Amino acid sequence: KELEKLKRPIGKLVVLWTGDSIEGCVGHYAQQTFSVELDRRDQVKVARRLLRDAIMRWSAYFNEVQVLAVAGNHGENRNSSGKSYTTLNDNDDVAIVEQVAEILEANPEAFGHVQFAIPKDRLSITAEVAGWVLGITHGHAARRGGNGVEQKLRRWLEGQALGRQHVGGADVLVSGHYHHFRLADWGGCVWLQAPAMDGGSHWWKEITGEISDTGVLTFCMYPEKRVTDI
């Protein structure tokens, strides 16, 4: 509504599901099993209902809605030693989006304008938005390039471009995983690191002293401007 008042109407809504939509129960950080509030089934149920209700409300304001989803590390199917042991596809993050897609597909009259893009056995996905290539990834696969978050994501994107992967041609890259907001213009690509909605990690605060505000990232893309109205 604020953007409409500024004469910048939004014709299409793109929902970015960047992973870690559930906490998981074991193997991600110290004391997780003791401190987690819900078991895996109830975590999935809460996330599924939140996404379902959000899309149902948001879709009333747009003629076209597209949902892009990728898997995060917390959604992995892990064994008792805390290691992912099945496939990249076997992940609660993308399973939740798949479930919501099937729910809304049952009512094409109300939600026929909502489309879903869910990758299989891939940790990134791209879509054309306002003439630009928008790419998303969770970010846990970016493990090289130094100790800094930006260096790791930039090195990862460079490798994707060298390997001629679709996300390597992204004009805008959005990542999750690191729980705090960051923005960088790399020339050919603008990188946006999304904040998280969780309450923060006591473990991370104690070992680093860092605390990040909770939040949701929103921005606009126009043909003449890749990223604005953050």
Side-chain angles (χ1 to χ4, degrees), residues 84-218:
S84 174
Y85 72 105
T86 55
T87 66
L88 296 178
N89 188 62
D90 190 12
N91 191 292
D92 288 327
D93 292 316
V94 287
I96 289 168
V97 181
E98 188 175 58
Q99 292 160 12
V100 172
E102 292 181 353
I103 292 170
L104 299 187
E105 285 170 359
N107 190 350
E109 183 176 348
F111 305 110
H113 63 303
V114 181
Q115 302 297 318
F116 291 81
I118 308 169
K120 181 178 177 63
D121 287 325
R122 289 191 292 117
L123 296 178
S124 64
I125 192 170
T126 61
E128 183 179 334
V129 180
W132 303 97
V133 177
L134 171 64
I136 69 170
T137 187
H138 180 62
H140 62 304
R143 300 181 178 182
R144 301 182 298 161
N147 295 323
V149 174
E150 181 177 350
Q151 290 85 351
K152 289 180 179 179
L153 263 297
R154 181 165 178 157
R155 177 69 180 275
W156 176 83
L157 186 64
E158 290 172 350
Q160 298 298 306
L162 186 63
R164 302 295 176 88
Q165 304 301 318
H166 291 298
V167 74
D171 299 301
V172 178
L173 176 68
V174 179
S175 60
H177 190 57
Y178 293 102
H179 294 225
H180 63 281
F181 174 72
R182 292 286 297 276
L183 168 67
D185 186 346
W186 296 334
C189 179
V190 174
W191 168 58
L192 292 155
Q193 164 62 42
M197 292 183 67
D198 69 4
S201 167
H202 295 295
W203 171 253
W204 184 255
K205 180 182 68 175
E206 292 301 321
I207 64 174
T208 68
E210 297 178 356
I211 303 173
S212 298
D213 290 334
T214 60
V216 176
L217 172 66
T218 63

Side-chain angles (χ1 to χ4, degrees), residues 26-45:
V26 65
H28 296 94
Y29 57 86
Q31 295 96 37
Q32 181 184 18
T33 305
F34 180 81
S35 61
V36 71
E37 296 176 359
L38 300 173
D39 62 24
R40 180 175 172 180
R41 178 180 176 180
D42 281 344
Q43 289 179 43
V44 168
K45 179 168 62 180

Side-chain angles (χ1 to χ4, degrees), residues 212-230:
S212 298
D213 290 334
T214 60
V216 176
L217 172 66
T218 63
F219 60 95
C220 293
M221 298 178 66
Y222 299 102
E224 65 277 8
K225 183 73 172 178
R226 278 187 292 183
V227 176
T228 186
D229 300 316
I230 298 173

